[in-house]
């Protein structure tokens, strides 16, 4: 990936638009358990997909939504934001079967 990014930065057409390139070091995953509990059936469904635990930000987001707080997740690509939103919706639907969501 590093060589691909460097080749893009050297491209004469793109070079004037490249302000900065950098590489972030990998970090150890941090896991969490939702204090509000798992939405009904979600833990079993995720286990069937090989997901046995949540990242800390996913658990925190689920707790915040369950507490009725407006919640925004801003994390890197492939960090599990979509799963956090889906779990939040499942939690809301458990409270109110008529609840709806729009994912943009």
């Amino acid at each position: 990936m590093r060589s691909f990014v460097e080749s893009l930065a050297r491209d004469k057409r793109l070079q004037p638009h490249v302000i900065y390139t950098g590489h972030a070091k990998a970090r150890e995953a941090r896991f969490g358990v939702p204090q509000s509990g798992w939405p009904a059936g979600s833990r079993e469904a995720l286990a069937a997909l090989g997901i046995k635990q949540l990242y800390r930000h996913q658990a925190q987001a689920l707790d915040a939504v369950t507490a009725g707080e407006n919640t925004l997740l801003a994390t890197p690509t492939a960090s599990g934001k979509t799963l956090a939103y889906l779990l939040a919706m499942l939690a809301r639907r458990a409270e109110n079967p008529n609840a709806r969501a729009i994912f943009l």
Side-chain angles (χ1 to χ4, degrees):
M1 182 56 77
R2 184 181 302 246
S3 63
F4 174 68
V5 170
E6 289 170 356
S7 71
L8 290 175
R10 286 191 305 269
D11 183 286
K12 290 182 186 198
R13 293 169 294 161
L14 299 176
Q15 199 171 34
H17 306 287
V18 176
I19 306 295
Y20 170 79
T21 62
H23 303 279
K25 293 182 180 180
R27 295 188 319 186
E28 184 107 5
R30 293 176 282 172
F31 298 100
V33 176
Q35 300 303 305
S36 56
W38 291 74
S42 63
R43 194 167 197 170
E44 298 79 11
L46 293 175
L49 296 171
I51 301 171
K52 296 184 174 114
Q53 52 190 339
L54 297 178
Y55 292 121
R56 185 168 65 182
H57 68 276
Q58 293 170 319
Q60 290 171 334
L62 181 54
D63 288 337
V65 169
T66 302
E69 298 174 19
N70 292 324
T71 306
L72 171 78
L73 286 178
T75 60
T77 301
S79 62
K81 291 181 290 292
T82 301
L83 178 56
Y85 296 138
L86 292 172
L87 287 172
M89 182 57 196
L90 288 174
R92 186 61 49 148
R93 293 270 309 192
E95 293 173 11
N96 177 0
N98 294 320
R100 302 286 183 264
I102 297 175
F103 295 94
L104 303 175

